[in-house]
Amino acid sequence: MAKRGAAALLVLLMCSLPFASASADTTLVTHDEERLVVQGNAGATWSTTLNLDATQRGLFVVACGSCEASVEDAAGTALASGVGGLDLTHRPEVAGTLTLQVTFVVEESATVLLLASTMTEVPNRPAPGEDVISTVLAPSGAGDAWWTGTDHVRLNGGWQGAATAVVNVSADSTAYVLAETEEPAWVDVLVQHASSEIDLRLILQNNTVEVTHASLTLTQDDLPFSHRMFLDADQRAMMLIEGTAPNTGAAVAMASHPTSGAMDEVAGEDSERVVGHGGQIKVYDVNDTDALRVTPALGTEFRAEHLVQGTWVATSNATSTQPRTVWALPGAVALRLTCISPTCSADVALTEASDLRSGEDAQGYVDLSDELLRQGGSAGYLPLNGSANGHLVRATLDVADVFPFQIDAWEDSIHLVKVTVWTSEPVMLELIPIDPITGTVDEDERKHEVVSGQGESLSAQFGRGAHLVRISLVNPDEVLNGTWGSDLATLNYTLEMAHGVVDEGDEPWFEPDEASQIWGARVRWILGFCFLIPVAYLARMQRRRTLLANTLRAQRERLRQIVARLDEGRPVAQERRDLHLALDAVATLDFEDACLSWGQPDLQHRTDELAFAAWRLDRRLAQHGAHVLLVGLAAGPRTWEATALRFDAPIGAACEVKAVEPRFMHHGEDVFLDTIRAGTVVFLTVELDGANTLVDLEVNGLVDAKPRAARASAPLELVSTEEA
């Protein structure tokens, strides 16, 4: 058979597109499938054009109440006109543009149909296998225009991907139009217009035989009329169109659709609309608790199949034309809907009924040997304080759910657990305590009762560990004696858990393991050595200080030696550092020995509670002040607290303490020594600044919480006679 390419069909289709223009008085132009609805005011004019070549026949149809319609060719010659409507079928002798003009006498709406034939008529009826011109129908694709009514599904008459035949027939003149497809396909035949009654015969031909598929008599009241038939790859469809009246104009559209692939889908808020052709499918990923709620349109038939272990399985009630819920079989990972009828349209909603929102269905029986159940089961643990939702799906023969809950507590503790049920009908509720030692059911505390589901509760005492709650239908046999996938109602329920402690039990003690004991001993030895490091350091420092103190005890007039070394050019910083080190060492000596090691004091004072002495140091040792002094204090048999050393100027301006070593707090003319314990010795260097050359040394503090003070009887001269 000869086949025309899809490119030629597209060119003819583009030539058939009407182009419209309107006056300013036209109010509105809308589309109603293949027709235009023009709303015009009185006196308004609306026009449109249609391009035709010499091989095409055009159809011009106008339906209105009192409008004036006319058709002109490119030269302006009127081909036809009419008042109150127009129906013209015309084939031009040469290619050109025809213009349809509508003038509104009163305000009204006019329905306009313009079509150009894209299919070629053959002059005589061809025999099977005869080589004649045949239109190759291009298959529709996903998203192409469809019209879904309340009664059926068919091609939208305004879809521009369809092939169109415009014929002029009568009782003595028959039109023959042939169409074929490259692959097996569903073919829609849509009769869009007939000016009077027509007879339509649909014949299927192959290379050897022909079969009459349908013989139809159609009036204008039957239009638009849609018919679908299956066309194999080695067949062609022939339309025989006859009229019952002279010059009967008719327009028929044909379109092909694939018999495989995926159906189209249009997403909605709570569901989606699927539209497809016979043989097409739609696949959904599911698990054991998922279901599809399918609501097919009239005339739609689906088959539901389940993918289980790599094989598509159908149940006994797989096909349906009525609304139904398709529950996934156990172990299914996908559901497939296959369109069985020639066309299919349905609303599909994916729903699920998992327990505890886990995506799984809870186990329905009690098996204490099942470790998985006691470790949370397929749906997980019930919250010890809180609520959880579940479902008993009668359609999947789900008549009971068993949930574990865990109590983490001490040994021999006792807990009170209350379970409250909310549901739409009475159910059987069981509380199953498990002995944590034996792993068996504690029958003395086990409780079961039929509860109304309106907030009624059941309580029991439990020990530590995992325990079970079981909820089931009151009459499960009614469901178990039925069939899988029935439309029985699903029972939704809510469990509320409340927990209280009756007895806390005994706090556990755990023997450390061998590894912990070994590493514990090692860590203790390591930490012990680490703690001894500061002790060793302090012992070494104390030994060095003792050696230095013994050395200083053997020396006399150390201050004179310092001056001599400075005179010899020894660095002042080095001498100052040695002096500061000696302060701490000398403090370990007896006060008298310490004073002798420094040399004769420039000032000395002694009482029963306190003794102190002062020495002038070489000014070269000063770093922050004008004068530097060495002061030693020795507490008597009692401790001095809140002790302060004051350098009071008897005449003139006061002196200011600039630096103290060791670093005691100081302010103005005071140095704050804090506590001097009984029998201890303190030596410090003090740098003073000021113009005064005399200072009185005064010590203030608390002895046994009583104020005490000691003041030298004579002032200390800050400048020696030699320096003066």
Side-chain angles (χ1 to χ4, degrees):
M1 298 181 184
K3 295 187 177 181
R4 302 177 64 186
L9 176 62
L10 180 61
V11 171
L12 292 176
L13 182 61
M14 293 297 293
C15 294
S16 70
L17 297 178
F19 300 92
S21 61
S23 68
D25 294 329
T26 301
T27 57
L28 184 64
V29 178
T30 58
H31 284 267
D32 181 11
E33 294 198 55
E34 76 277 14
R35 286 173 167 76
L36 296 175
V37 179
V38 183
Q39 182 73 32
N41 296 327
T45 300
W46 177 86
S47 62
T48 185
T49 59
L50 183 66
N51 296 325
L52 297 174
D53 59 27
T55 63
Q56 288 182 289
R57 181 179 283 110
L59 176 67
F60 301 84
V61 178
V62 178
C64 61
S66 59
C67 68
E68 299 176 356
S70 62
V71 179
E72 297 178 351
D73 60 13
T77 303
L79 301 178
S81 62
V83 177
L86 177 69
D87 194 325
L88 172 65
T89 302
H90 178 73
R91 174 182 288 174
E93 296 180 357
V94 295
T97 300
L98 278 65
T99 302
L100 170 66
Q101 180 172 297
V102 179
T103 302
F104 293 92
V105 178
V106 296
E107 181 180 352
E108 63 174 331
S109 62
T111 302
V112 179
L113 173 63
L114 276 81
L115 290 175
S117 177
T118 60
M119 304 179 72
T120 303
E121 297 180 47
V122 294
N124 300 306
R125 176 173 178 171
E130 183 179 347
D131 188 7
V132 293
I133 296 176
S134 177
T135 300
V136 179
L137 301 178
S140 63
D144 284 336
W146 279 81
W147 183 85
T148 304
T150 57
D151 297 331
H152 59 283
V153 180
R154 65 170 172 82
L155 182 71
N156 188 314
W159 183 50
Q160 297 177 354
T164 306
V166 177
V167 297
N168 190 352
V169 295
S170 64
D172 300 328
S173 176
T174 303
Y176 305 96
V177 181
L178 283 81
E180 57 187 287
T181 60
E182 294 181 349
E183 299 289 340
W186 293 100
V187 175
D188 274 345
V189 179
L190 179 63
V191 181
Q192 299 170 311
H193 173 75
S195 58
S196 61
E197 182 180 294
I198 62 171
D199 292 327
L200 173 64
R201 292 180 61 193
L202 300 176
I203 300 174
L204 302 181
Q205 291 184 338
N206 58 19
N207 289 330
T208 57
V209 296
E210 68 178 24
V211 176
T212 299
H213 176 76
S215 296
L216 306 168
T217 299
L218 303 175
T219 65
Q220 291 181 334
D221 295 336
D222 299 324
L223 306 184
F225 176 81
S226 179
H227 182 78
R228 172 166 287 209
M229 58 185 177
F230 179 77
L231 191 64
D232 212 337
D234 62 347
Q235 292 179 316
R236 66 185 179 188
M238 179 171 61
M239 293 190 298
L240 276 67
I241 307 173
E242 296 178 343
T244 58
N247 295 322
T248 298
V252 182
M254 296 186 72
S256 70
H257 311 289
T259 60
S260 62
M263 289 185 280
D264 287 346
E265 63 180 66
V266 180
E269 292 184 2
D270 300 323
S271 63
E272 66 178 16
R273 168 65 62 88
V274 294
V275 180
H277 316 285
Q280 290 188 324
I281 63 172
K282 180 65 178 176
V283 179
Y284 298 88
D285 293 330
V286 297
N287 62 16
D288 293 353
T289 62
D290 290 335
L292 295 179
R293 179 61 183 174
V294 184
T295 306
L298 184 64
T300 293
E301 183 177 8
F302 279 104
R303 181 173 68 248
E305 296 169 296
H306 311 252
L307 182 60
V308 181
Q309 296 181 352
T311 303
W312 290 104
V313 179
T315 60
S316 58
N317 55 347
T319 60
S320 176
T321 59
Q322 301 299 320
R324 60 172 296 196
T325 300
V326 181
W327 290 94
L329 288 172
V333 296
L335 277 174
R336 181 174 69 184
L337 297 180
T338 303
C339 179
I340 302 301
S341 55
T343 59
C344 290
S345 173
D347 291 325
V348 180
L350 180 63
T351 184
E352 65 95 22
S354 65
D355 296 319
L356 308 189
R357 298 181 180 179
S358 62
E360 301 291 340
D361 181 32
Q363 181 174 308
Y365 56 91
V366 177
D367 182 6
L368 297 185
S369 63
D370 187 356
E371 289 295 330
L372 178 62
L373 174 62
R374 299 177 63 177
Q375 293 174 2
S378 58
Y381 286 110
L382 282 173
L384 198 55
N385 287 286
S387 62
N389 299 322
H391 314 271
L392 294 177
V393 184
R394 290 182 170 94
T396 62
L397 310 183
D398 179 18
V399 297
D401 287 334
V402 178
F403 300 103
F405 65 92
Q406 181 74 25
I407 298 178
D408 295 323
W410 294 344
E411 188 176 354
D412 296 332
S413 60
I414 301 175
H415 306 262
L416 181 64
V417 176
K418 181 177 74 172
V419 181
T420 304
V421 180
W422 296 91
T423 186
S424 59
E425 63 182 70
V427 292
M428 175 67 74
L429 180 64
E430 294 182 69
L431 305 184
I432 308 174
I434 300 176
D435 191 307
I437 299 177
T438 63
T440 59
V441 176
D442 186 352
E443 296 294 345
D444 294 336
E445 293 295 335
R446 182 172 185 172
K447 294 185 178 180
H448 57 89
E449 185 178 318
V450 175
V451 295
S452 65
Q454 301 301 309
E456 192 173 347
S457 61
L458 191 62
S459 302
Q461 288 189 352
F462 299 85
R464 66 172 183 169
H467 307 278
L468 303 178
V469 174
R470 185 175 188 268
I471 183 172
S472 60
L473 299 176
V474 176
N475 295 313
D477 292 340
E478 293 182 359
V479 176
L480 296 177
N481 292 331
T483 58
W484 178 279
S486 62
D487 286 332
L488 295 177
T490 297
L491 178 63
N492 304 315
Y493 60 84
T494 299
L495 298 179
E496 293 181 354
M497 304 279 291
H499 162 257
V501 178
V502 178
D503 188 346
E504 291 185 349
D506 300 328
E507 184 175 2
W509 180 84
F510 301 97
E511 181 74 22
D513 58 15
E514 183 179 355
S516 299
Q517 293 178 353
I518 294 174
W519 280 103
R522 293 176 180 177
V523 170
R524 284 193 294 272
W525 277 103
I526 293 172
L527 293 178
F529 281 118
C530 292
F531 290 149
L532 288 176
I533 291 175
V535 176
Y537 175 76
L538 292 176
R540 177 177 174 81
M541 294 301 297
Q542 182 63 27
R543 186 172 182 276
R544 290 182 58 186
R545 187 168 60 175
T546 302
L547 292 175
L548 180 58
N550 293 332
T551 301
L552 294 176
R553 178 185 298 172
Q555 295 179 356
R556 293 292 184 268
E557 301 294 336
R558 180 172 178 78
L559 296 182
R560 290 184 181 276
Q561 296 175 13
I562 293 175
V563 174
R565 286 194 294 269
L566 291 175
D567 292 340
E568 293 173 358
R570 190 182 187 198
V572 176
Q574 181 66 35
E575 199 63 46
R576 187 185 298 116
R577 184 168 57 253
D578 291 346
L579 175 61
H580 293 165
L581 291 175
L583 293 177
D584 186 47
V586 171
T588 62
L589 300 177
D590 181 73
F591 186 65
E592 296 298 334
D593 292 337
C595 290
L596 292 175
S597 69
W598 292 116
Q600 182 63 34
D602 296 312
L603 176 67
Q604 192 170 9
H605 182 76
R606 180 182 292 275
T607 66
D608 294 338
E609 301 290 346
L610 183 71
F612 61 86
W615 294 263
R616 288 187 304 272
L617 299 182
D618 194 294
R619 288 189 177 185
R620 286 173 290 182
L621 295 174
Q623 188 175 8
H624 301 285
H627 310 283
V628 57
L629 302 178
L630 173 63
V631 180
L633 300 95
R638 291 186 292 181
T639 299
W640 283 63
E641 297 177 343
T643 310
L645 174 62
R646 168 170 290 189
F647 298 89
D648 187 18
I651 57 174
C655 294
E656 182 181 1
V657 178
K658 287 296 187 179
V660 180
E661 186 67 34
R663 295 181 180 179
F664 289 103
M665 185 181 296
H666 59 86
H667 177 70
E669 56 189 10
D670 295 318
V671 177
F672 304 102
L673 304 177
D674 196 12
T675 301
I676 304 177
R677 299 192 177 278
T680 60
V681 177
V682 176
F683 280 93
L684 64 153
T685 60
V686 181
E687 294 187 32
L688 301 177
D689 195 13
N692 210 322
T693 59
L694 296 175
V695 292
D696 285 331
L697 269 66
E698 179 181 331
V699 180
N700 300 291
L702 297 175
V703 178
D704 295 336
K706 295 181 180 180
R708 289 288 188 273
R711 185 184 181 94
S713 58
L716 174 64
E717 294 183 2
L718 299 179
V719 180
S720 66
T721 306
E722 297 176 357
E723 293 176 348

